[in-house]
Amino acid sequence: YNSTGDYPAALEHIHRALVLYEELGDSSGIAGATGNIGTTHFNAGDYTEALVHFHRALAIHDELGEQSSVALDTVNIVGALLANGSNVEAKALLQAIEARQFDEPGVRIIRELHRATLIEQNHRRLLHGGIVRNSEQRRADSELRTHF
């Protein structure tokens, strides 16, 4: 359902799985389902709700010592932060990922994609700032010419 864009149906099925994992006391399953709920919210464009679930999944995986899942949850959080426009927080978390030295290839790839996104967004911000300043300077110059 997630791949077809039917996010309400995807959430319904994942929530059912979550209930089953809770009944079984399967903490790893609970964390996985919680992360999947976060991914579904992310895909639906609800980055705030995605962050809530990614953080929950991270806390459980961290408690269980499941480092590869911790790494994945962390890069998912970075992606949601970037999508939400929280670039400073995303950059800090990317640096924390490097400090922990996660070696999973998939995590390294996603980390580099997020780093490239940060660089691109920073360049766009600088470019936009330069265009705005240039436009403001031309307007000010024009006003000065009309007054003198």
Side-chain angles (χ1 to χ4, degrees):
Y1 294 100
N2 213 351
S3 62
T4 64
D6 189 353
Y7 304 119
L11 286 170
E12 181 182 328
H13 287 281
I14 299 168
H15 278 286
R16 277 195 241 152
L18 178 60
V19 168
L20 292 174
Y21 286 125
E22 288 171 341
E23 288 174 0
L24 293 170
D26 182 347
S27 296
S28 186
I30 292 168
T34 302
N36 288 338
I37 291 169
T39 299
T40 303
H41 283 292
F42 181 90
N43 291 341
D46 188 352
Y47 308 120
T48 302
E49 195 64 27
L51 280 167
V52 168
H53 287 87
F54 290 151
H55 279 288
R56 285 182 190 158
L58 173 63
I60 297 167
H61 281 131
D62 197 30
E63 184 179 307
L64 294 171
E66 296 179 354
Q67 292 307 303
S68 62
S69 295
V70 166
L72 183 59
D73 294 334
T74 305
V75 294
N76 284 341
I77 291 168
V78 171
L81 289 169
L82 288 171
N84 216 19
S86 302
N87 292 2
V88 172
E89 198 175 343
K91 182 178 179 182
L93 194 51
L94 274 174
Q95 291 170 341
I97 291 170
E98 288 177 5
R100 289 186 74 168
Q101 299 180 345
F102 293 121
D103 289 332
E104 290 80 10
V107 170
R108 288 197 323 254
I109 291 167
I110 296 169
R111 182 190 67 210
E112 291 308 313
L113 286 171
H114 290 335
R115 183 187 321 285
T117 300
L118 269 173
I119 291 169
E120 178 186 9
Q121 288 177 354
N122 189 47
H123 286 190
R124 286 178 191 263
R125 184 183 53 79
L126 292 173
L127 178 62
H128 178 71
I131 291 170
V132 169
R133 281 192 297 279
N134 192 17
S135 174
E136 290 171 351
Q137 184 63 48
R138 276 187 263 148
R139 194 175 320 118
D141 290 348
S142 176
E143 288 175 11
L144 283 174
R145 280 190 222 112
T146 60
H147 289 346
F148 294 105

